[in-house]
Amino acid sequence: MTVARDLSFMIILTTIHAQDFRDEVGDRHEGRETIPIVMPRVGRLSMPLGLMFWSLILIIGWCRNVVLGAALVGMGIWVGSRFYWVRDADADKTSYLLYNVRLC
C-alpha cells in the first residue's frame, strides 16, 4: 500500500464514527451500539482531537502552502468543534456533511 492510501485508511478508521452522530436517535431505536451511544463523551471528544491530529499530519507530510495548511487545520478545528459543542440531531447532520467536505 502507498503512504497516501495508508493515511487515508487511518483517517477513516479513526474518525468514521462521525457518521453515527447524525442518526443517533434511529440507532438507539434499533438497538445498535455505536460509539456515540456506548461512549458519547469519548466519541465527541475524539472528533476535534482526531481531525486536528490528522490535519497536522497531512500538513507535515504534504502541504507546503501556508494558506492551504491553515485552511486544513482551521476546517479540522471548526468541524471537530461542531461535533463536540453542537449536539442536536440537525447539527450532527450538518457536522457530518462538513466532515465529508473536509475529507475531500
Side-chain angles (χ1 to χ4, degrees):
M1 291 177 106
T2 66
V3 173
R5 193 178 324 155
D6 290 345
L7 277 176
S8 294
F9 174 75
M10 292 303 298
I11 291 168
I12 298 299
L13 181 67
T14 58
T15 61
I16 193 65
H17 59 282
Q19 69 182 339
D20 295 327
F21 288 105
R22 68 189 163 115
D23 190 30
E24 186 177 342
V25 173
D27 288 343
R28 283 184 189 280
H29 186 288
E30 293 294 321
R32 294 187 184 105
E33 294 185 357
T34 62
I35 289 175
I37 294 169
V38 176
M39 300 181 297
R41 290 179 191 215
V42 171
R44 292 256 177 214
L45 184 58
S46 71
M47 293 310 298
L49 295 178
L51 293 176
M52 171 64 105
F53 172 78
W54 288 117
S55 296
L56 292 173
I57 294 297
L58 292 173
I59 288 170
I60 290 167
W62 285 305
C63 190
R64 302 293 179 242
N65 183 309
V66 175
V67 174
L68 290 175
L72 183 62
V73 170
M75 191 160 189
I77 292 169
W78 178 51
V79 173
S81 295
R82 280 189 54 89
F83 275 107
Y84 188 76
W85 293 108
V86 188
R87 300 180 180 208
D88 63 73
D90 287 335
D92 285 338
K93 288 176 185 174
T94 301
S95 295
Y96 179 63
L97 176 67
L98 294 170
Y99 165 84
N100 284 298
V101 168
R102 187 202 163 275
L103 280 179
C104 293

